[in-house]
Amino acid sequence: MSVQNINVALIGNPNTGKTSVFNQLTGLNQQVGNYPGITVEKKMGFCKLPNNVKANILDLPGTYSLNASSMDESVVIELLLNKNDKLYPDVAVVVTDVENLKRNLLIYTQIKDLEIPTILVINMSDRMARKGISLDIPYLEEKLKTKIALVSSRKGIGIEQLKELIVSYKTIPHEPCLNASVIDPEYFAKLQKAFPNQLMYKLWLVITQDVNFLNLDRNEIRSTFTKSHSELKRLQQKETIKRYQFINDVLKEGLKIDASIAKDIRAKLDRVLTHKVFGYVIFFAILFLIFQSIFSWSTIPMDFIDSTFASLSSWVAEELPSGILTDLLSQGIIPGIGGVIIFIPQIAFLFLFISILEESGYMSRVVFLMDKIMRRFGLSGKSVVPLISGTACAIPAIMATRNIENWKERLITILVTPFTTCSARLPVYAIIISLVIPSKRVFGVLNLQGLTLMSLYVLGFFMAILSAYILNKVLKLQSKTYFVVEMPSYKMPLLKNVGINVVEKTKAFVVGAGKIILAISVILWFLASYGPGKEFNEAETIVKERFANTTLDETQFENEVNSQKLENSYIGLMGRAIEPAIQPLGYDWKIGIALISSFAAREVFVGTLATIYSVGDTDNESTIKSKMQAEVRPDTGKKVFDFATGISLLLFYAFAMQCASTLAITKKETNSWKWPAMQLVFMSGLAYLTALIAYQLLK
Amino acid sequence: MFQEIIAFAILGFAVAFLIKKFFLKSKKKKDCGGGTDCGCS
């Protein structure tokens, strides 16, 4: 029996659980969140169905209707209007939320009118009893001319029934819900006459949206059937009203809500969490608790990882036959890997908290709460989503700006998002804070290191909105703006979803960043272990001559030789070349090397220092932190990582655009090199200036 | 000699990896975004 391949498109309003349904069908672990805008591009997975059917499941970005107002919504319309697209769906699955059925059905009626076989999924069915909701499924199926799957994607209920319905999609009626000609009978009669073989509703979408389909050009139709922009808008509104009249009639009989059962906890919680004073107090208290916990809870596992890698380096150096490979392993590769692994506990804790906030539905309240503030700075409430996602990585965060309808607000959000403290900054902050900020309690309960970390996160956010304010004044782009945000129900976070998010995000950091760090560590080790000229090749003779009148023991002599070699190695020469530019910031040439190497990615900073200090130190057993702590300036004998240099470095990394991938994604999203170039110059300039001022004031 | 060959081979891999990562465009995306297939159960 041959395998039948079909395309299935998952469509629906934002936050109806499309991605959860997608994960249930395909077994994939796409990120799920209880706030809108998680899916901004189409995603595809496979699903084996009964009767030897194999389905390509396409998860499309959430959209409220087929009247696109943002980039991610256009993705849906372009696919549904293009029958030649290889992903054109054989069957559409519209996912709705049982608590927001009325609003969610609008897009269902529109897709049905495109005469694509459409299955209706009513999701979150596990909440029906608690909310006093009852549905007359046979009645709804008859009136909506479809088959309905009552599903709880979070609990995996109804998925098998949905699979059965997808297999038998050919039995689903093709009839539309609304006769498109009711929008304007006279106009549609003319259209029908001119294009007798075309579907009226498709023609209507081609006229009103920015798309072409089949061999029909949008401008060709528009020029023949001219209507003013305001007239088209009026007709779109009329269409929406007609659709809601139809939906109201259907739901009057098909949906019953027993108000006496429905508990009003949501409204009570919302009143507190979005309160104009308490809302902000609670938000900052939550942030504060998160950063306190990150520092307090991760100390033990971090110390354990650090000392394990130090012991491993030492064991390799002692047990393996001496030679270049052993040195590369013990001084380059192992410290490099250690520089990544050590930050797993902190990153995992950060994402644990963020996932819980997303899953519970609280993040949408934060978006709503922040809208008023954000608008004053030229941003949208929706900008909060990228700014918060930016705590993981600026790249997906910049992609998440696609659901901001207004181009100016979107551009500003793209430009300022890299100020948000991403997970790559966390290792830099963590190591510097632990070196220069004492681990003591203030006011009896607050951990000073945790407080400093939180201040850096707040500083990044503050700089993002300040820059947005300046950009809003400078950029002369005019566009209308409005704000619509989904307020999902509060949900108890599912352990599985939280776990998947934490594992995926941590894995992305370790695997993604780890490979780069490891490769750079290897190259750095070679650059630090080889050098040109007499100063490097005759290091031993030079040291002997220099200390001819002093008695040095074997270890002291070895350290002096290593130091002489490192200073005159290729990397040493590079560091020395940039030293004049970075000396006013309090950095020596070794830190300079870390600044250069971490331009590709910030997280390389710690790994670079770990490699450089390992090459220059014969004591393999020391941890990264203790090596940095012991580093002194040869001219003054003072510690390299003192308070002034530490603060200068923290400020530099808070503002500098040390990420090549972010520049690339900005170029991709803005379709111009102008904006990433501006980002680079502005952020690097700001970083240099603030680090300079801080060091000069504090030294 | 053996150690040198292995060490320089690792260096070659590291350089090639970074060039590929930052200077060459990837033909296939690793995640499931952009409509790319990623396969599953």
Side-chain angles (χ1 to χ4, degrees):
Chain A
M1 197 176 167
S2 64
V3 177
Q4 190 195 351
N5 270 302
I6 59 168
N7 287 336
V8 179
L10 291 182
I11 307 166
N13 286 188
N15 214 48
T16 50
K18 279 187 316 304
T19 306
S20 289
V21 173
F22 176 79
N23 286 346
Q24 287 284 357
L25 285 173
T26 62
L28 279 179
N29 293 326
Q30 292 294 332
Q31 189 197 349
V32 179
N34 190 16
Y35 69 96
I38 288 288
T39 314
V40 289
E41 277 195 342
K42 45 184 187 274
K43 297 187 177 87
M44 195 156 118
F46 307 117
C47 178
K48 279 181 189 166
L49 297 171
N51 302 342
N52 229 6
V53 175
K54 193 178 161 196
N56 304 318
I57 313 277
L58 203 60
D59 184 17
L60 292 165
T63 176
Y64 291 100
S65 71
L66 291 185
N67 304 324
S69 57
S70 63
M71 250 177 86
D72 50 349
E73 289 182 338
S74 305
V75 172
V76 181
I77 297 159
E78 276 164 19
L79 177 72
L80 296 180
L81 290 187
N82 186 5
K83 262 193 171 169
N84 296 328
D85 194 317
K86 67 178 171 62
L87 298 174
Y88 183 81
D90 296 293
V91 54
V93 174
V94 175
V95 183
T96 58
D97 170 4
V98 71
E99 288 186 67
N100 294 303
L101 208 48
K102 183 178 162 184
R103 179 163 42 77
N104 294 171
L105 280 175
L106 176 69
I107 191 167
Y108 165 81
T109 63
Q110 290 182 308
I111 291 167
K112 197 82 177 82
D113 290 359
L114 291 173
E115 300 190 5
I116 299 169
T118 308
I119 295 167
L120 181 65
V121 168
I122 301 180
N123 198 4
M124 309 191 197
S125 60
D126 54 311
R127 304 169 67 83
M128 285 171 64
R130 207 157 11 116
K131 297 285 173 180
I133 299 171
S134 58
L135 295 169
D136 184 345
I137 299 290
Y139 177 85
L140 290 173
E141 283 185 334
E142 185 200 329
K143 293 293 171 190
L144 296 169
K145 302 176 183 104
T146 187
K147 290 284 175 194
I148 295 176
L150 203 55
V151 161
S152 168
S153 56
R154 275 159 61 87
K155 299 194 172 172
I157 300 166
I159 298 298
E160 290 309 312
Q161 188 208 349
L162 174 60
K163 286 182 180 175
E164 295 283 347
L165 291 179
I166 294 173
V167 171
S168 54
Y169 75 93
K170 284 182 180 161
T171 62
I172 296 166
H174 281 62
E175 295 162 69
C177 281
L178 186 84
N179 181 356
S181 62
V182 298
I183 300 169
D184 186 339
E186 205 181 317
Y187 182 66
F188 274 79
K190 279 187 206 165
L191 263 180
Q192 183 75 79
K193 207 173 166 187
F195 302 98
N197 299 322
Q198 297 296 344
L199 194 63
M200 277 303 92
Y201 192 58
K202 266 193 179 176
L203 282 174
W204 173 241
L205 286 177
V206 172
I207 292 165
T208 53
Q209 309 298 315
D210 194 13
V211 283
N212 300 319
F213 86 102
L214 294 177
N215 53 348
L216 294 175
D217 187 85
R218 177 170 152 262
N219 292 329
E220 183 197 328
I221 306 173
R222 275 192 167 180
S223 60
T224 321
F225 295 91
T226 315
K227 274 206 182 280
S228 67
H229 180 73
S230 59
E231 180 66 5
L232 284 176
K233 282 279 163 207
R234 192 188 65 77
L235 289 177
Q236 275 186 313
Q237 285 164 4
K238 191 176 168 189
E239 178 202 339
T240 308
I241 292 167
K242 290 276 179 199
R243 288 190 186 280
Y244 273 122
Q245 281 172 347
F246 167 78
I247 293 164
N248 279 338
D249 287 344
V250 173
L251 292 184
K252 207 188 282 178
E253 291 299 317
L255 169 78
K256 301 281 178 210
I257 300 173
D258 186 344
S260 63
I261 297 173
K263 290 171 189 163
D264 204 17
I265 298 171
R266 173 183 166 157
K268 283 179 190 162
L269 268 175
D270 273 348
R271 268 199 291 277
V272 179
L273 294 178
T274 59
H275 189 269
K276 57 184 178 185
V277 178
F278 300 126
Y280 296 104
V281 173
I282 292 169
F283 178 51
F284 283 102
I286 289 172
L287 281 185
F288 180 75
L289 270 174
I290 290 174
F291 294 114
Q292 288 290 309
S293 314
I294 287 174
F295 248 95
S296 307
W297 297 354
S298 37
T299 310
I300 296 170
M302 283 179 80
D303 286 347
F304 172 74
I305 295 167
D306 203 5
S307 57
T308 304
F309 273 87
S311 306
L312 186 64
S313 280
S314 174
W315 182 84
V316 167
E318 282 165 19
E319 298 299 321
L320 295 188
S322 63
I324 173 177
L325 182 61
T326 304
D327 289 348
L328 172 63
L329 280 171
S330 64
Q331 298 168 356
I333 293 176
I334 295 170
I337 296 173
V340 182
I341 306 287
I342 191 173
F343 298 105
I344 288 179
Q346 284 184 330
I347 287 166
F349 279 127
L350 176 70
F351 290 122
L352 172 75
F353 291 117
I354 290 180
S355 299
I356 290 171
L357 294 184
E358 285 177 356
E359 270 274 305
S360 63
Y362 178 67
M363 211 59 108
S364 286
R365 274 72 192 177
V366 175
V367 171
F368 172 77
L369 195 67
M370 299 304 276
D371 185 58
K372 269 186 197 167
I373 297 180
M374 302 303 255
R375 212 154 278 286
R376 285 183 202 162
F377 295 95
L379 294 168
S380 147
K382 285 187 179 175
S383 307
V384 173
V385 176
L387 290 177
I388 291 174
S389 320
T391 50
C393 176
I395 293 157
I398 286 174
M399 286 168 73
T401 60
R402 289 180 194 176
N403 74 348
I404 300 173
E405 295 84 357
N406 179 304
W407 166 241
K408 187 177 175 183
E409 287 174 353
R410 181 165 172 249
L411 177 64
I412 294 175
T413 311
I414 289 173
L415 294 177
V416 304
T417 293
F419 277 117
T420 306
T421 303
C422 61
S423 57
R425 282 184 178 101
L426 193 56
V428 184
Y429 288 171
I431 199 95
I432 307 282
I433 288 175
S434 67
L435 284 171
V436 302
I437 306 290
S439 176
K440 65 175 184 184
R441 305 233 158 236
V442 283
F443 307 119
V445 282
L446 309 179
N447 178 321
L448 190 60
Q449 292 184 333
L451 208 59
T452 312
L453 183 66
M454 184 184 163
S455 309
L456 285 163
Y457 273 77
V458 172
L459 183 69
F461 186 75
F462 174 76
M463 194 47 79
I465 57 170
L466 184 68
S467 309
Y469 180 78
I470 297 166
L471 286 167
N472 189 35
K473 297 281 173 205
V474 173
L475 294 176
K476 301 290 175 207
L477 298 167
Q478 290 302 322
S479 43
K480 282 184 182 173
T481 182
Y482 54 92
F483 176 60
V484 181
V485 68
E486 186 79 24
M487 281 293 202
S489 309
Y490 291 102
K491 288 173 197 151
M492 188 56 80
L494 275 186
L495 199 64
K496 186 187 162 199
N497 286 349
V498 172
I500 287 171
N501 269 353
V502 171
V503 171
E504 288 296 314
K505 289 275 171 63
T506 312
K507 202 168 87 183
F509 172 78
V510 174
V511 177
K515 283 191 280 192
I516 300 171
I517 294 172
L518 189 60
I520 290 181
S521 297
V522 169
I523 295 169
L524 284 173
W525 183 84
F526 273 94
L527 291 173
S529 302
Y530 292 88
K534 229 169 78 176
E535 293 285 319
F536 181 88
N537 295 320
E538 293 173 22
E540 285 191 22
T541 319
I542 293 167
V543 171
K544 270 181 196 163
E545 281 171 11
R546 194 185 300 153
F547 293 97
N549 300 325
T550 320
T551 318
L552 294 177
D553 64 29
E554 203 183 326
T555 315
Q556 282 172 320
F557 177 73
E558 215 174 311
N559 280 344
E560 286 300 330
V561 172
N562 285 341
S563 179
Q564 168 73 18
K565 278 187 167 178
L566 185 60
E567 219 171 316
N568 294 288
S569 63
Y570 291 109
I571 208 164
L573 297 176
M574 281 160 66
R576 291 231 170 264
I578 64 157
E579 203 170 23
I582 56 170
Q583 220 162 22
L585 312 185
Y587 312 154
D588 65 0
W589 61 271
K590 289 181 185 174
I591 299 175
I593 295 300
L595 290 188
I596 296 173
S597 65
S598 66
F599 175 74
R602 295 177 182 94
E603 56 273 32
V604 174
F605 178 82
V606 181
T608 302
L609 288 181
T611 305
I612 294 174
Y613 293 143
S614 297
V615 175
D617 190 356
T618 46
D619 180 11
N620 285 309
E621 199 135 4
S622 304
T623 60
I624 299 171
K625 196 177 144 186
S626 61
K627 280 176 183 168
M628 289 171 79
Q629 217 154 20
E631 192 69 8
V632 289
R633 296 177 197 272
D635 48 344
T636 59
K638 284 184 179 173
K639 278 188 176 180
V640 171
F641 292 95
D642 58 5
F643 184 71
T645 305
I647 297 296
S648 165
L649 267 173
L650 289 175
L651 288 172
F652 186 87
Y653 275 92
F655 300 143
M657 173 47 110
Q658 300 277 98
C659 183
S661 308
T662 303
L663 291 170
I665 199 79
T666 302
K667 192 262 162 189
K668 190 180 162 216
E669 294 294 311
T670 59
N671 206 19
S672 158
W673 277 112
K674 182 173 90 177
W675 303 113
M678 201 179 102
Q679 239 176 356
L680 177 67
V681 172
F682 177 67
M683 291 181 73
S684 305
L686 181 70
Y688 189 90
L689 204 66
T690 46
L692 176 73
I693 294 169
Y695 181 73
Q696 295 302 328
L697 288 176
L698 297 170
K699 71 172 180 180
Chain B
M1 187 63 187
F2 169 75
Q3 287 214 13
E4 280 189 1
I5 293 168
I6 301 285
F8 278 96
I10 293 171
L11 174 67
F13 276 121
V15 173
F17 169 75
L18 290 177
I19 290 173
K20 188 170 170 271
K21 181 89 191 164
F22 291 106
F23 299 105
L24 300 179
K25 276 189 178 173
S26 164
K27 282 185 183 168
K28 197 181 171 191
K29 285 188 180 178
K30 281 174 192 164
D31 62 11
C32 302
T36 31
D37 301 358
C38 37
C40 66
S41 60

